[in-house]
C-alpha cells in the first residue's frame, strides 16, 4: 500500500465535484488526491507551495555555506572597495 503524505485526502471524482469546498476544508494544508485509493497527486494551496519553495531555497543556501566554509578565501580591505 502506498503512503499518503497528507492528513486530508479526496478521490479524483470528489475533487472534480467539490473543488472549492475541498480547498476551503483543507485550509492551508496539502490535499492528497487519490485514484483507486492510491495517491495520484497532491494539491497545494499557493501559500503552502511558496513556503515550501522558500524552505528549499534556504536548504540549498545552507548547503553552499557548508561547502564553502573551508575556503579558499580572498583577502579584501574595506579601504580597497
Amino acid at each position: 500500500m502506498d503512503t499518503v503524505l497528507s492528513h486530508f485526502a479526496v478521490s479524483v471524482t470528489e475533487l472534480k465535484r467539490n473543488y472549492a469546498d475541498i480547498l476551503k476544508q483543507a485550509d492551508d494544508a496539502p490535499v492528497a488526491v487519490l485514484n483507486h485509493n492510491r495517491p495520484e497527486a497532491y494539491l497545494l494551496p499557493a501559500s503552502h507551495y511558496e513556503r515550501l519553495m522558500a524552505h528549499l531555497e534556504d536548504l540549498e543556501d545552507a548547503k553552499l555555506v557548508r561547502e564553502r566554509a573551508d575556503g579558499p578565501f580572498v583577502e579584501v580591505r574595506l579601504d580597497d572597495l
Side-chain angles (χ1 to χ4, degrees):
M1 179 170 198
D2 295 332
T3 302
V4 177
L5 302 175
S6 175
H7 295 290
F8 191 60
V10 297
S11 69
V12 172
T13 304
E14 186 178 354
L15 182 64
K16 288 179 185 177
R17 289 181 188 154
N18 300 316
Y19 176 77
D21 289 337
I22 288 167
L23 281 183
K24 185 188 268 187
Q25 287 176 6
D27 195 24
D28 194 35
V31 176
V33 181
L34 307 179
N35 188 15
H36 301 290
N37 292 325
R38 299 180 81 180
E40 180 78 16
Y42 289 91
L43 175 64
L44 300 175
S47 60
H48 189 95
Y49 180 80
E50 290 163 1
R51 285 193 313 275
L52 181 62
M53 296 309 294
H55 182 70
L56 287 174
E57 186 176 309
D58 291 346
L59 291 174
E60 290 171 0
D61 290 347
K63 180 182 175 196
L64 280 175
V65 168
R66 286 190 304 276
E67 289 172 354
R68 297 177 182 176
D70 294 327
F73 300 106
V74 176
E75 294 281 332
V76 176
R77 293 172 15 125
L78 289 178
D79 294 334
D80 296 337
L81 297 177

